[in-house]
Amino acid sequence: MTEVEQLQQVELVNGEATTTSRQVAEVFGKEHRVVLKAVDDIMSDAEGVAQNYADPMFQEETYIHEQNHQKYRQFRMNKDGFTLLVSGFTGKKALKFKMSYIAKFNAMEAALKQQQFFLPETTDQQNRCLLY
């Protein structure tokens, strides 16, 4: 997978960089059901640590399969959820992808945040915008 393709695995949702369990499965060469089980295991942690985290790291959602048009579940996760999930993956390929994916997540988040527009609030700010 090229660097551009890896960057496309991260998208900004409600101002936060996110990815999905299907995208993680694709990048790490795992079956999606294996990734779902790993997230389910994290979510059902005996102490409930992940569920009580201030910002939800995982949000369950559905997608429609492009071939059979049926609904299936997936998880959308933020950077913390991603990091927690893939920290359990092992092997050289996993290590390489973890390091690259984290770097790309951070780069994409920074790039997307820089693209946010400045909205003038005061009359003075609005007048300065008109001059440019």
Side-chain angles (χ1 to χ4, degrees), residues 4 7 14 24-25 28-29 41 46 55 73 79-80 91 97-98 105 122:
V4 172
L7 272 175
N14 297 325
V24 170
F28 283 88
D41 289 347
D55 294 322
R73 70 187 194 114
K79 181 173 60 175
D80 293 341
F97 274 114
K98 283 184 229 182
F105 224 121
T122 66

Side-chain angles (χ1 to χ4, degrees), residues 82-105:
F82 164 78
T83 304
L84 181 62
L85 173 64
V86 301
S87 65
F89 297 171
T90 59
K92 288 181 182 181
K93 185 175 181 182
L95 179 59
K96 179 182 175 185
F97 274 114
K98 283 184 229 182
M99 294 172 71
S100 174
Y101 213 81
I102 289 170
K104 299 305 178 192
F105 224 121

